[in-house]
Amino acid sequence: MYRTRKTEKRYALQRKQAKAAGICCDFCEFTSTHPQVKEEFSYFWVARNNFPYSVWDGCDVADHVMIVPKRHIEGVHVFTAAERQEFINIIAAYEARGYSFYARPPKSTQKSVAHQHTHLIKNYGKTKKIQLSVEKPYTLLAK
């Protein structure tokens, strides 16, 4: 899961601006007319990711959206029975259209937004021959 350097810089700037504006959670700002919202369900939004990954499973990303609960919660483990059912139905519909799904656990140090969200990622299916990236502590990865 990698974003381009340009996208990562835009993301860092947006987080800084949101913090300065006193916005604690971008996802709690969603409404049915919010520009990121693609679909609305009873308990969830499906929203476009403004800062999408550029690579997933070693392939270029074709589309990247997220399932976002309407209420602010930290993890799937606190879904009600009705939320669980709707969540699985959304995942099933997107999986049938070729999307992978991914979510980090509530206390993950890599989770950038505390509000639970599940990534739905569709790639072009063409494996990259080689992919190089540098991650702290500056380990060179070749995939």
Side-chain angles (χ1 to χ4, degrees), residues 95-135:
E95 183 188 50
R97 296 191 311 224
Y99 286 77
S100 297
F101 52 94
Y102 176 76
R104 290 187 174 98
K107 303 298 181 199
S108 171
T109 58
Q110 292 184 330
K111 191 170 187 174
S112 58
V113 179
H115 191 135
Q116 196 282 329
H117 57 287
T118 302
H119 297 268
L120 297 169
I121 303 166
K122 186 173 188 176
N123 63 39
Y124 288 109
K126 293 182 180 178
T127 305
K128 291 183 161 290
K129 300 280 187 223
I130 189 167
Q131 175 184 327
L132 298 174
S133 64
V134 178
E135 295 180 8

Side-chain angles (χ1 to χ4, degrees), residues 5-129:
R5 186 181 186 123
K6 183 178 178 180
T7 301
E8 198 62 43
K9 283 184 177 182
R10 280 191 315 107
Y11 182 64
L13 177 62
Q14 188 272 339
R15 298 296 305 151
K16 186 177 179 179
Q17 291 171 337
K19 186 176 182 180
I23 298 171
C24 296
C25 178
D26 293 331
F27 297 154
C28 289
E29 303 289 315
F30 285 171
T31 64
S32 57
T33 59
H34 191 282
Q36 277 182 262
V37 172
K38 182 178 175 179
E39 289 183 82
E40 180 178 6
F41 297 89
S42 297
Y43 303 103
F44 297 93
W45 309 105
V46 172
R48 298 185 195 294
N49 190 331
N50 282 344
F51 307 99
Y53 299 133
S54 56
V55 174
W56 179 261
D57 284 347
C59 300
D60 289 330
V61 172
D63 191 25
H64 185 169
V65 296
M66 302 172 292
I67 305 171
V68 180
K70 288 184 175 180
R71 65 185 181 109
H72 186 101
I73 56 175
E74 289 188 348
V76 173
H77 68 283
V78 295
F79 282 174
T80 65
E83 287 170 331
R84 280 193 301 270
Q85 185 61 56
E86 186 172 271
F87 181 74
I88 290 299
N89 290 343
I90 296 167
I91 285 178
Y94 274 84
E95 183 188 50
R97 296 191 311 224
Y99 286 77
S100 297
F101 52 94
Y102 176 76
R104 290 187 174 98
K107 303 298 181 199
S108 171
T109 58
Q110 292 184 330
K111 191 170 187 174
S112 58
V113 179
H115 191 135
Q116 196 282 329
H117 57 287
T118 302
H119 297 268
L120 297 169
I121 303 166
K122 186 173 188 176
N123 63 39
Y124 288 109
K126 293 182 180 178
T127 305
K128 291 183 161 290
K129 300 280 187 223

